Amino acid sequence: MIHTRTTRRALFAAAASAAIVMTSGIAAADKLKVAAIYTLPVEQQWISRIHKALNAAADRGDIDYAFSENVANTDYERVMREYAEAGQQLVVGEVFALERAARKVAADYPDTAFLMGSSFGPSGDNFAVFDNWIHEPSYLTGMIAGAATKSNVIGMVGGYAIPEVNRLMNAFKDGAREMNPDVKFLVNFIDSWYDPPKAKESAFAMMDAGADIMYAERFGVSDAAVERGVKAIGNVIDTSGDYPETIMASALWHMEPTIDRAIAAVADGSFEAADYGQYSFMGYGGGSMVVDESLVPAEVLAKVREREQEIRDGLFRVNVNDTAPVSDG
């Protein structure tokens, strides 16, 4: 079994000879050809979850996986076209900053399936969308934070005030207020997806203003929490191993349910333009919460677990609020 995890340059250099590559007598073309286009490094939180799910599919032998990272917005349309021209059957990525251009590319390649992170809906016959709908575990981590704060001030540092971020932060606030109606929030967006020093500086300012729990939507916040000895809540990935005794809980995103459904649909010819967002819900295994139980009192955790089960059973619905959160006056 071979797994192709190449950069775009290596992919196209090998394209001419791909038709004759054989492994154990089975043509490499028998595997689904999947490519991903990322505007940031694959180590970045959000991107890493997609990359992880695609690598898992490659490890199972379901796909040949190629990817391009750090693709500038100005190059994104070109890279989409190159992958489609190279015969990739499914192209995955995120098009938040170039919706119109990406949808035009998809319309030009009707035989290629596109699955893109987007703030909007599907289009045409082959442009499907997804998002990290982890507002449910975000609510649960908010409950933990609301019960933990002694100053009744929680700091929240985000990247950009877009719906995908806003709904998680608002759900977190709702969860905190369930446990502590008196809690106040300090909110700031650093207008970057990756600027740890700026996020750290923002976190320090919030701590100086009284925040004793930090919502770490961006890298850098937890580093500030460690330095000041306050607790933090993680987002999208579990970083508790890097910040022991600091990360109380994290809302996790699992992209595998989304990716696996898309791969199966392309493989059996049933892929169509659809909204895959629901597969990030807890009920589909697309979202979960991880807790450091040594940092959370047992009685608090019991209430959180009860609420978690109600969400899974459909007995409690977390509100979806895409409006930009602001600091309390």
Side-chain angles (χ1 to χ4, degrees), residues 261-313:
R261 281 174 171 80
I263 289 172
V266 175
D268 68 17
S270 66
F271 186 90
E272 60 183 3
D275 188 341
Y276 280 70
Q278 63 180 321
Y279 301 119
S280 290
F281 282 37
M282 293 180 71
Y284 287 98
S288 71
M289 175 187 62
V290 63
V291 180
D292 184 338
E293 297 188 8
S294 70
L295 301 179
V296 181
E299 62 273 16
V300 172
L301 186 57
K303 292 181 181 179
V304 173
R305 292 301 187 192
E306 181 180 359
R307 181 66 76 211
E308 179 182 15
Q309 190 59 51
E310 290 176 344
I311 292 172
R312 293 184 182 277
D313 292 342

Side-chain angles (χ1 to χ4, degrees), residues 12 33 73 116 137 142 146 205 231 286 293 298:
F12 297 126
K33 297 177 65 178
N73 287 342
M116 295 289 172
K231 303 305 182 190
E293 297 188 8

